[in-house]
Amino acid sequence: MLIITAIPALQDNYIWAIHNTTHTAVVDPGEAAPVMDFLQKNRLQLDAILCTHRHHDHVDGIAELRGVYNVPVHGRSHPRNPHITDDLREGDQLRLDALGIVFDIIETPGHLDDHIAFIAPQILFCGDVMFGAGCGRNFEGTLAQLQHSLQRLAALPDDTLVYCAHEYTSYNLPFALACEPENPDIRQRIAETRQLRAANRPTVPFTIALEKATNPYLRCANTELIQTLQTRGLVDTSELAVFTALRDWRDHF
Ligand SMILES: [Zn+2]
């Protein structure tokens, strides 16, 4: 039986622990201490580290963890990421025998060039590409790449649970509502998110279905959203132009 547990870290990161009663893999350990606490408290051993991309808040705990548990680090190699021991590329599979899980790897550029996503049935680890009602910033590559990466994630089955790396949902929903003031799913998600956060519970994971209903970056063909952007000067209504206008507005929202 596989369990996925959120280990809160830094200001608003989640390090995801994939574990059974003995073995563990962690995703994007930006800090070592909370991971070691979790492992000790639950008497688990660390078997593997998964890395979605090289940003500091995703890799800074790796060296210390490897000093204690000499485990492989699975991710995409990059000259500025010294931690990866197993280079993963588009179409590769990552098999974690101790946990009985196999991930399909897709490359998801547009936030950073080396960003990859780990996909198993009903499970997606997507780092900083998709967030609750939002998406990552475009630090490298093009907005077209970021949009394409998001579209590939959105094409996963509706019941896929999305394990992203930050608790950003409550920050993103006011913008989603500004884009589509009449969208009842966004209003409902705002109420549900408020309840979860008031109880100090994560809003992550969420489903692909919920993202498709409420995430503006996945709704670039939506009539109300386009009309909102048109009142702000949008002329070209191609999906990339709509996506670009959204990303630009969000940065000044
Ligand atoms: Zn990042």
Side-chain angles (χ1 to χ4, degrees):
M1 161 114 157
L2 207 61
I3 301 168
I4 301 176
T5 303
I7 304 174
L10 301 168
Q11 198 173 341
D12 48 32
N13 282 70
Y14 290 129
I15 300 166
W16 294 104
I18 312 160
H19 59 103
N20 52 28
T21 53
T22 311
H23 300 279
T24 312
V26 291
V27 185
D28 288 352
E31 275 189 300
V35 174
M36 296 211 255
D37 284 351
F38 174 83
L39 295 170
Q40 276 156 19
K41 224 174 265 176
N42 295 283
R43 298 178 181 204
L44 295 166
Q45 72 177 60
L46 188 63
D47 292 79
I49 295 171
L50 280 55
C51 179
T52 62
H53 68 298
R54 69 183 193 277
H55 269 152
H56 288 294
D57 58 321
H58 300 254
V59 302
D60 275 359
I62 293 177
E64 195 179 337
L65 286 172
R66 290 196 76 220
V68 179
Y69 311 91
N70 185 25
V71 295
V73 182
H74 307 278
R76 183 170 165 173
S77 288
H78 187 279
R80 278 182 277 158
N81 185 350
H83 303 288
I84 303 300
T85 64
D86 171 32
D87 184 24
L88 294 172
R89 300 282 161 148
E90 174 78 31
D92 283 348
Q93 286 198 323
L94 170 62
R95 176 181 297 276
L96 300 177
D97 287 330
L99 291 164
I101 191 166
V102 180
F103 289 103
D104 290 314
I105 306 303
I106 66 167
E107 294 181 4
T108 47
H111 172 67
L112 286 190
D113 287 341
D114 60 326
H115 203 296
I116 59 172
F118 296 84
I119 300 167
Q122 292 183 301
I123 296 170
L124 165 65
F125 294 103
C126 64
D128 285 357
V129 170
M130 182 188 288
F131 296 124
C135 74
R137 284 172 189 260
N138 171 225
F139 290 113
E140 289 179 349
T142 63
L143 281 172
Q145 284 179 308
L146 182 58
Q147 184 173 37
H148 181 64
S149 294
L150 283 163
Q151 286 168 341
R152 292 187 70 191
L153 302 183
L156 293 170
D158 276 352
D159 62 353
T160 303
L161 290 169
V162 181
Y163 296 86
C164 63
H166 288 275
E167 181 58 67
Y168 285 164
T169 314
S170 59
Y171 305 129
N172 288 331
L173 282 167
F175 179 70
L177 188 65
C179 294
E180 295 179 69
E182 305 298 325
N183 182 331
D185 296 318
I186 294 174
R187 292 184 177 278
Q188 190 183 335
R189 192 173 189 186
I190 287 172
E192 287 167 359
T193 296
R194 202 171 283 149
Q195 282 184 346
L196 286 168
R197 297 311 292 150
N200 203 24
R201 288 171 56 199
T203 65
V204 192
F206 39 77
T207 63
I208 287 290
L210 181 59
E211 285 316 298
K212 288 197 294 193
T214 61
N215 187 325
Y217 303 98
L218 306 182
R219 298 174 60 76
C220 292
N222 175 269
T223 304
E224 189 188 9
L225 183 145
I226 289 171
Q227 284 169 351
T228 300
L229 291 172
Q230 284 172 329
T231 67
R232 300 179 49 83
L234 181 77
V235 177
D236 178 357
T237 58
S238 70
E239 291 209 25
L240 179 57
V242 171
F243 184 78
T244 302
L246 282 174
R247 203 45 277 191
D248 183 58
W249 183 17
R250 180 68 179 94
D251 289 341
H252 309 99
F253 184 72

